Amino acid sequence: MSRAAVLQGIGAVVPPRVVDNDELSRSLDTNDQWIRTRTGIGQRHWTDAGTTTGDLAAEAGQRALKSAGVDSVDMVILATSTGNQVMPATAPEVAETLGLGRVAAHDVSAACAGFIYALSSAAGALAIGGAERVLVVGADVWSTRLNPDDRSTAIIFGDGAGAAVLRAGDADEPGALLGFELGSDGSGRELAQVAGGGSRELSAGRPPRPDDAYLTMQGKEMFTHAVNRMAESSQRLLDRIGWGVEDVTWCAAHQANVRIINTIADVLELPRERMLVHLDRVGNTSAASIPLALTDAAGAGRLQAGDGVLMTAFGGGLSWGSTAVRWPAMDVLSI
C-alpha cells in the first residue's frame, strides 16, 4: 500500500493581547457594528513588542508535538509571509527553539493559502520516504505590517500560529490526507501585497517609500476571487476523492471574512452551520487561520473522530488550495 501523510497532532496559540473593535474605533473612522457587519470580527490578538512570528510558531509547534505524543520530527515546514527577517528562513530557528536538532527546515510563502501548501509539501516528503514525521506550522504576525491609518486592513488581521504533526502511514487509516487541489494566478499579485523589501523595490533605482512596508489589499476584488477560487477548488477536490456534500461534517475555510465563508457554503450547497468560524475572536490570521480554527473546534469538542473535514484557503499571489481528512482521535490542548 502506498504511503500517505497522516495527521497525528495539532496545536495553536494566539498572543495574550486582545484588541477589540472599540479600541480600533478610537483611532479609525469606524465602530463595532460596522466592523462586525462587514467582516464578522469582534476582536483580534496582536503581539506585544519583541514577540516574533518564530516565537508563536515554536509555541504552536510545541503544542502540536504534545498533542501527537512525540518529541521529534524529521522536518519542519513553516508557512508564513511575516518571517522574522527577509533572509534566512524562520523555520530553522523554530526547529532550533524546539530542540529538534539539525532536521530539514524551510519556509513556504503562499500568504493565507500557505498552510495548505505546506501540508502538500509535507505530504510529498512523507510519500517518497524523505521523512517519517513532519511538523507543519502556519504563523503570521501581520500587526507589524499594518498601516494603523488604513481601515481596510487594520480591522481585519490578527496574529497567531497553528501547527500539525504529520506521520507516514496508510491512505485508508483515519487522519490520512486524502488529496490536494492547488492553484495560482500571478496576474492578481497586486490585489494583496507588501510592495516593499523585495528585489522589485530595491532594483527600481529610487528611494524606498515608507508606505510600501505595509500590507495593502483591494478588498472587493479579493472577496470575489476568494469565493470563486475556494469554491471551485473545494468542488474539484471533493470530486477527486469521491466525497459528496454529505461526507463533509465540517469545512474549515480560510478565516478571512464571515460573508466569504457563508457564500462558499451556499455555492457548495453545504449548510452554513457546518462551516467552522473562529475569526470572530481572532480575526484573519493568514497562514495560521485553518489550524487555529481546527484546534479551536477540536478543543471545544465539536470536532470529533470520524468527522469528514474539508480545508480550503485563498490568499495573495494569488494562490489557493484545498485538502480533506477523516478526523482521527487525538488529544488537543485548548487555545
Side-chain angles (χ1 to χ4, degrees):
M1 184 174 293
S2 61
R3 288 163 58 104
V6 179
L7 179 63
Q8 187 177 4
I10 195 166
V13 64
V14 291
R17 179 189 172 197
V18 176
V19 179
D20 62 22
N21 293 342
D22 289 334
E23 180 176 340
L24 293 180
S25 298
R26 292 194 285 271
S27 58
L28 293 168
D29 180 19
T30 189
N31 57 63
D32 177 68
Q33 182 180 7
W34 190 93
I35 296 172
R36 288 180 185 271
T37 300
R38 286 159 179 79
T39 69
I41 299 170
Q43 64 179 41
R44 70 286 298 148
H45 292 250
W46 286 354
T47 60
D48 291 318
T51 300
T52 68
T53 296
D55 294 333
L56 295 183
E59 187 171 348
Q62 186 61 58
R63 288 171 172 248
L65 291 168
K66 185 173 182 178
S67 170
V70 300
D71 57 12
S72 65
V73 296
D74 306 305
M75 180 180 293
V76 176
I77 303 176
L78 171 61
T80 187
S81 298
T82 60
N84 288 2
Q85 58 278 314
V86 174
M87 192 283 289
T90 304
E93 183 177 342
V94 172
E96 191 275 334
T97 300
L98 291 172
L100 298 175
R102 297 180 179 179
V103 299
H106 67 89
D107 289 1
V108 168
S109 178
C112 299
F115 187 71
I116 301 295
Y117 269 77
L119 288 177
S120 176
S121 296
L126 291 165
I128 65 172
E132 293 299 318
R133 187 175 288 116
V134 181
L135 175 64
V136 177
V137 187
D140 274 302
V141 176
W142 275 113
S143 63
T144 60
R145 288 285 192 172
L146 298 178
N147 183 339
D149 299 320
D150 182 2
R151 184 177 66 173
S152 67
T153 57
I155 66 171
I156 294 174
F157 289 90
D159 303 336
V165 174
L166 303 180
R167 62 169 175 82
D170 297 327
D172 61 351
E173 65 177 299
L177 297 179
L178 301 176
F180 290 89
E181 202 289 327
L182 306 173
S184 72
D185 179 4
S187 68
R189 61 188 177 275
E190 295 181 355
L191 296 182
Q193 66 172 341
V194 177
S199 63
R200 178 174 283 116
E201 178 194 51
L202 298 177
S203 65
R206 58 167 174 75
R209 293 181 294 218
D211 283 353
D212 284 347
Y214 295 131
L215 171 68
T216 61
M217 185 169 66
Q218 299 178 37
K220 291 182 180 180
E221 291 82 356
M222 286 292 284
F223 185 104
T224 300
H225 279 288
V227 169
N228 292 339
R229 301 291 87 78
M230 280 195 279
E232 292 169 357
S233 176
S234 294
Q235 190 60 63
R236 284 195 290 266
L237 187 278
L238 293 176
D239 292 342
R240 185 175 301 165
I241 66 175
W243 277 18
V245 171
E246 66 279 3
D247 295 300
V248 180
T249 314
W250 298 104
C251 176
H254 168 53
Q255 306 285 294
N257 182 305
V258 74
R259 293 187 297 158
I260 291 175
I261 293 173
N262 287 336
T263 305
I264 291 170
D266 295 344
V267 173
L268 294 176
E269 299 183 348
L270 187 67
R272 289 185 177 184
E273 57 268 24
R274 295 193 204 170
M275 307 297 288
L276 294 179
V277 177
H278 188 227
L279 84 164
D280 55 325
R281 287 158 284 161
V282 298
N284 180 344
T285 55
S286 194
S289 77
I290 288 179
L292 271 167
L294 292 172
T295 304
D296 174 70
R302 288 186 294 148
L303 186 51
Q304 297 284 331
D307 286 350
V309 180
L310 168 66
M311 296 173 252
T312 187
F314 171 86
L318 301 171
S319 57
W320 58 86
S322 302
T323 189
V325 64
R326 186 69 63 185
W327 198 257
M330 69 173 81
D331 294 325
V332 178
L333 298 175
S334 298
I335 299 173

